[in-house]
Amino acid sequence: MSFSSDVKNELTQTISSACCYKAEAFGMILFGRSFSLSEISLMTEMQEVAERYCACIRDLTDITPLMQKSAAGNYKITVPERADRIKILEYFGYTGKELALRINLANLDQTNNDCCSRAFLRGVFLVCGSVTDPEKDYHIEFNVAKAKLCDDLMQIIDDSGLKAKKIIRNNGYVLYSKDAESVEDFIGTMGANKAFMTVMQTRAIKDLKNQINRRSNFESANMSRSIEAGLKQVSLIESVLEKISLNDMTDDLSALCKLRLENPELSLDELGKLVNPPLSRSAVSRRFKKLEKIAEELNAK
Ligand SMILES: [Zn+2]
């Protein structure tokens, strides 16, 4: 099962108060495949969603919709009788003759803590939403066929303190969010608490991995800096050796130059440890300063 169906499955198990039950049902029915005088219908791959849709209509209006399963495994729910469609439309305050379908806010009891807006979003998500597995990407979206309906939904999303953007795709409209926090907020607001925890945990683990990656990038940057320093010292030594031989240097300096030529990749620390007796980083650094001076003097001649 996809993460999206996990979330929907969890949402269909939410137990709502009477006001929210109506709001959720309204979301499902209004944003389903069709909500008009000629057709009230829903298409879904998920049996749980199909059953929830049917149960809502039955519980609220005493009408039992017709549920059919296609060969491909999709569920199609319809209300075949015109009189039944009229009854459902009227229940939610519609005539079915509206020129542009809008969200009838009278179906959302807004006196009690936005509970119904959250339930409504849950219903809408069940029939036209999807969310990507947070392991792969942060992405939640609602697909809406009608422009005005999409704008009204955006308003409710806004009012709920959630963030979404709108794009046009395949002659329809898509409201979506792509940042981790928003995806988390949507899932939490709709009431999928288990999925909410999953997204939060995934996000925490991803953040930690990113931190570790940043650190090892930093470490390899440091490493390439020390290699660069080593190669500079090699060319310094080579330039000195064009004028004088190792034997012309003091013993400690010639030993260090020899070791550096053999080990250009080592840091000053590591190089110091190869010297007998071992030298500290700063002692190694001082000797190379001395060598630089010698090189300057030789060049001046
Ligand atoms: Zn409510």
Side-chain angles (χ1 to χ4, degrees):
M1 267 225 295
S2 69
F3 181 71
S4 207
S5 13
D6 283 346
V7 173
K8 288 186 183 182
N9 204 358
E10 192 185 346
L11 290 177
T12 57
Q13 286 159 26
T14 315
I15 296 163
S16 309
S17 56
C19 65
C20 293
Y21 191 60
K22 182 179 179 182
E24 183 190 319
F26 179 51
M28 291 182 94
I29 295 166
L30 184 61
F31 283 79
R33 185 172 137 123
S34 186
F35 182 66
S36 70
L37 208 49
S38 59
E39 186 178 346
I40 293 180
S41 66
L42 175 72
M43 285 280 276
T44 176
E45 294 172 342
M46 289 188 64
Q47 188 180 348
E48 295 87 347
V49 174
E51 281 170 358
R52 182 92 165 179
Y53 181 87
C54 288
C56 287
I57 293 180
R58 206 171 42 235
D59 293 344
L60 296 172
T61 65
D62 267 338
I63 291 158
T64 305
L66 177 69
M67 181 155 98
Q68 292 162 304
K69 193 177 175 185
S70 74
N74 289 322
Y75 296 85
K76 184 175 186 186
I77 300 116
T78 51
V79 178
E81 297 296 325
R82 184 182 160 93
D84 289 345
R85 293 196 293 271
I86 293 175
K87 200 172 161 190
I88 295 169
L89 284 159
E90 281 176 352
Y91 178 80
F92 291 107
Y94 294 83
T95 61
K97 293 172 187 155
E98 288 80 10
L99 288 176
L101 216 47
R102 309 292 301 253
I103 296 175
N104 177 9
L105 290 175
N107 292 307
L108 314 186
D109 181 350
Q110 285 167 320
T111 52
N112 186 15
N113 232 349
D114 290 341
C115 65
C116 288
S117 304
R118 296 152 62 117
F120 178 75
L121 280 179
R122 176 162 68 235
V124 176
F125 181 79
L126 283 174
V127 297
C128 74
S130 67
V131 58
T132 306
D133 186 343
E135 290 279 0
K136 293 178 197 133
D137 197 8
Y138 299 111
H139 185 102
I140 188 165
E141 67 175 45
F142 296 83
N143 284 272
V144 185
K146 297 188 161 79
K148 294 279 186 221
L149 217 45
C150 183
D151 291 345
D152 286 356
L153 179 62
M154 183 64 128
Q155 189 61 53
I156 288 182
I157 286 173
D158 252 12
D159 292 346
S160 304
L162 297 164
K163 279 183 226 120
K165 286 181 186 153
K166 183 169 96 172
I167 48 162
I168 296 173
R169 190 202 288 159
N170 301 336
N171 296 325
Y173 303 85
V174 180
L175 297 183
Y176 71 96
S177 272
K178 285 195 78 64
D179 66 288
E181 210 174 317
S182 296
V183 172
E184 222 172 80
D185 286 347
F186 265 105
I187 290 176
T189 299
M190 295 188 299
N193 298 330
K194 228 175 83 191
F196 177 76
M197 292 302 291
T198 306
V199 179
M200 218 166 69
Q201 273 168 16
T202 309
R203 193 176 151 200
I205 291 168
K206 268 192 181 173
D207 283 354
L208 191 68
K209 279 184 184 160
N210 281 340
Q211 265 178 40
I212 292 168
N213 272 343
R214 268 201 299 278
R215 224 176 71 191
S216 56
N217 282 344
F218 176 72
E219 273 160 9
S220 64
N222 267 348
M223 191 182 280
S224 62
R225 266 199 293 279
S226 85
I227 289 173
E228 213 180 299
L231 290 175
K232 263 189 194 157
Q233 288 167 351
V234 167
S235 62
L236 171 70
I237 295 165
E238 284 171 341
S239 76
V240 169
L241 290 182
E242 278 171 24
K243 311 256 165 84
I244 61 172
S245 76
L246 282 173
N247 293 334
D248 297 327
M249 298 180 197
T250 55
D251 286 347
D252 54 359
L253 198 56
S254 72
L256 186 65
C257 287
K258 235 177 125 224
L259 282 171
R260 176 47 98 197
L261 291 174
E262 287 160 4
N263 306 283
E265 79 286 1
L266 294 186
S267 69
L268 292 183
D269 250 337
E270 292 164 322
L271 196 63
K273 284 180 189 137
L274 293 181
V275 180
N276 187 20
L279 293 175
S280 70
R281 186 186 186 283
S282 56
V284 173
S285 172
R286 271 200 302 279
R287 285 189 193 186
F288 276 115
K289 286 258 154 57
K290 207 194 268 177
L291 190 67
E292 268 173 39
K293 241 184 176 159
I294 293 172
E296 271 168 34
E297 282 167 15
L298 286 172
N299 284 335
K301 273 181 192 170

